[in-house]
Amino acid sequence: MMTLEDYLEQDARLYPDKTAVVCGDEHITYARLWQMVRERAQAILLPRSTVVLFRATQDIDFLVTYFSIHLAGCVAAPLEKDTPEARFHELQESLQGVSVPEGIADVLFTTGTTGKSKGVMISHSTIVADAENLIAGQGFTHELVFIVHGPLNHIGSLSKIFPLILQGATLYLLDGMKDLDAFFNALEYPAGKMATFLVPANVRMLTQFAANRLSAYSEKLDFIESGGAPLPHADMLELCRLLPHTRLYNTYASTETGIISTYNYNDGRCLVGCLGHTMPHSKVVITPEGRISCQGDTLMSGYIGEPELTATVLNNGTVCMSDLGTIDEEGMLHIGGRQDDVINVGGFKVAPTEVEDAVLMLPEIRDCICISAPHPITGRALKLLVVMADGEPFDKRRIARYLSTKLEAYKVPSLYEQVPSIKRTYNGKLDRKAYLLQ
């Protein structure tokens, strides 16, 4: 089996003068990148399978470090670039004496519902399977230039490097999306095909503050993938309007499962909640409780040093998720929210995402979250927190009347509040845990 580094070496041999990475004013060819990786790997004098912690800086040095750790036979464990020293050393100490199975390439740290950090072990074969899934599902090609601006210690952005290396394509690195000018400058790069990965918060920022600028690149943007959290239907429709010639993908993926399925919602139907067909190395089954379970070559190998915790998630080659889902008559996966997020109101179960999708169809509402709140009669009630667009008045009666035309009566919130912002996690997901005590 070829590893990612085998493909990198092959790229250096087949396309030595092709630009591998663009980062600011730096342009690194495949030949130069491979040389830097080999030199760095030779300086790593650690036993094989040692887990090497390092900070995920958004630059070429990160790539050199990442590939060289693999080439030296060690395991790459990238952390947030601003990880405090105390936390860095705490993780180092926790990994002392912990063994990893043969073939592990990465340990990616993630937090679940408990908030406890878990180190997800990813194998070399899983990396290649993820890459081949993305190539088959989204059409990564040798000519593509892909813009990555998200943190490289998370699977959403890190996984985009994999198919680029397999195809000998070009990676364009940006440090976040706070500077929209930098993003649009990247789109000016001389290439026939460009693509990028956006979390829902990025999509909303672009459609609200730079819609006309984005639409100007409809012919050049080959595809955009969205992930990390469900994309509101209103934002899906707006992207389809702005980019009629661009393939727009919703993807189902996680650190534990790898890249599972994808759906081009710019297909004339724009199906809300649809995550498409599974990719070649993956399979999805729905449990009797309605939970999504994933199988195939892209699954994690387990949580490092925690076999008991691993057994609660990974059993017999299957990772059972908290996400609720269905498979339609076309064989496409549809997500229905997370089991943990369902709100019980007077015996009725409500998926808050359904309420939020309906609310965001109102143009005067910029953002929102539906939460559970105390109620003197029913015990719990639906409460809607909304961020209004600039200059728009907050009219809770209008919002409630609108929702009553879109949802069953028990799904219409009884409580409303205007707030300056909605709390989100690092990758744009609604931070529902932050509202649990309200």
Side-chain angles (χ1 to χ4, degrees):
M1 184 208 75
M2 290 180 66
T3 66
L4 196 61
E5 288 64 42
D6 291 330
Y7 282 101
L8 179 58
E9 181 181 17
Q10 177 177 277
D11 293 335
R13 185 175 67 254
L14 296 177
Y15 326 112
D17 299 324
K18 180 178 172 66
T19 299
V21 189
V22 179
C23 185
D25 295 330
E26 290 186 272
H27 294 63
I28 301 294
T29 66
Y30 269 107
R32 177 59 180 150
L33 178 59
W34 178 238
Q35 179 187 7
M36 294 167 70
V37 169
R38 285 189 295 116
E39 290 173 355
R40 183 76 60 85
Q42 290 170 1
I44 298 175
L45 303 177
L46 294 170
R48 290 185 64 82
S49 298
T50 299
V51 180
V52 182
L53 294 173
F54 64 109
R55 289 178 173 82
T57 52
Q58 207 78 3
D59 52 25
I60 291 171
D61 188 67
F62 167 86
L63 298 172
V64 174
T65 301
Y66 178 73
F67 293 133
S68 65
I69 290 171
H70 290 170
L71 194 61
C74 295
V75 178
L79 303 176
E80 299 278 356
K81 63 182 178 182
D82 57 355
T83 299
E85 281 295 322
R87 175 60 178 157
F88 191 97
H89 292 302
E90 177 189 337
L91 283 172
Q92 274 188 323
E93 290 179 6
S94 71
L95 294 173
Q96 293 295 321
V98 176
S99 62
V100 297
E102 183 69 26
I104 297 300
D106 295 347
V107 173
L108 302 180
F109 288 93
T110 182
T111 54
T113 54
T114 63
K116 180 185 176 184
S117 183
K118 299 172 291 186
V120 180
M121 296 185 290
I122 308 296
S123 70
H124 286 283
S125 61
T126 286
I127 286 175
V128 174
D130 278 331
E132 291 177 346
N133 269 2
L134 286 166
I135 290 167
Q138 297 177 352
F140 280 73
T141 64
H142 177 67
E143 297 78 19
L144 186 69
V145 176
F146 197 100
I147 302 171
V148 169
H149 52 79
L152 292 169
N153 58 304
H154 296 296
I155 195 69
S157 293
L158 182 64
S159 64
K160 304 310 169 289
I161 295 172
F162 308 158
L164 296 175
I165 297 300
L166 261 66
Q167 296 291 69
T170 298
L171 169 65
Y172 196 119
L173 275 177
L174 289 176
D175 191 4
M177 279 283 285
K178 291 182 179 179
D179 185 353
L180 285 182
D181 288 336
F183 176 74
F184 285 107
N185 286 340
L187 289 176
E188 288 294 322
Y189 186 80
K193 289 183 177 182
M194 299 195 74
T196 193
F197 171 78
L198 301 172
V199 297
N202 301 148
V203 172
R204 179 138 288 217
M205 180 169 58
L206 286 168
T207 55
Q208 289 188 349
F209 301 112
N212 291 336
R213 295 178 73 182
L214 183 63
S215 65
Y217 294 94
S218 179
E219 298 289 344
K220 191 172 185 180
L221 273 166
D222 187 32
F223 67 89
I224 294 175
E225 182 193 31
S226 298
L231 188 63
H233 197 216
D235 293 345
M236 293 167 62
L237 292 169
E238 180 65 1
L239 269 190
C240 290
R241 185 186 72 82
L242 294 173
L243 301 170
H245 306 296
T246 301
R247 287 176 287 125
L248 302 170
Y249 289 105
N250 268 342
T251 297
Y252 189 68
S254 72
T255 314
E256 285 86 349
T257 64
I259 316 300
I260 298 296
S261 67
T262 197
Y263 166 61
N264 174 20
Y265 58 88
N266 204 359
D267 64 350
R269 297 184 293 175
C270 196
L271 301 174
V272 63
C274 184
L275 295 162
H277 292 99
T278 52
M279 301 181 199
H281 290 286
S282 302
K283 180 181 177 182
V284 165
V285 294
I286 306 299
T287 70
E289 300 78 28
R291 294 168 64 181
I292 297 171
S293 291
C294 302
Q295 300 171 345
D297 300 329
T298 65
L299 303 186
M300 70 171 181
S301 299
Y303 297 117
I304 188 168
E306 300 196 68
E308 296 84 3
L309 181 61
T310 298
T312 65
V313 177
L314 176 61
N315 283 289
N316 299 318
T318 300
V319 170
C320 190
M321 307 295 289
S322 295
D323 299 314
L324 301 173
T326 58
I327 297 175
D328 67 18
E329 63 279 2
E330 297 179 45
M332 294 198 294
L333 175 65
H334 293 252
I335 194 167
R338 290 179 63 84
Q339 190 174 47
D340 298 339
D341 295 338
V342 170
I343 301 172
N344 193 322
V345 181
F348 292 100
K349 292 187 167 105
V350 180
T353 52
E354 187 178 357
V355 180
E356 292 151 4
D357 270 344
V359 173
L360 289 172
M361 296 300 288
L362 286 169
E364 64 264 34
I365 293 180
R366 177 170 293 169
D367 203 0
C368 71
I369 188 170
C370 179
I371 63 174
S372 173
H375 192 278
I377 298 174
T378 62
R380 306 300 297 179
L382 297 180
K383 182 176 183 179
L384 187 68
L385 307 180
V386 298
V387 178
M388 303 303 296
D390 293 343
E392 294 288 347
F394 173 57
D395 186 344
K396 62 183 180 182
R397 290 184 178 84
R398 165 173 157 68
I399 299 171
R401 283 196 301 269
Y402 172 79
L403 289 178
S404 68
T405 69
K406 302 292 181 183
L407 303 169
E408 294 93 332
Y410 69 89
K411 295 179 182 177
V412 178
S414 55
L415 304 171
Y416 298 81
E417 181 182 343
Q418 182 179 3
V419 294
S421 63
I422 300 296
K423 297 173 183 176
R424 292 182 177 271
T425 64
Y426 65 85
N427 61 0
K429 289 183 182 180
L430 293 170
D431 191 358
R432 298 191 189 276
K433 288 189 290 185
Y435 295 95
L436 285 178
L437 298 180
Q438 294 195 11

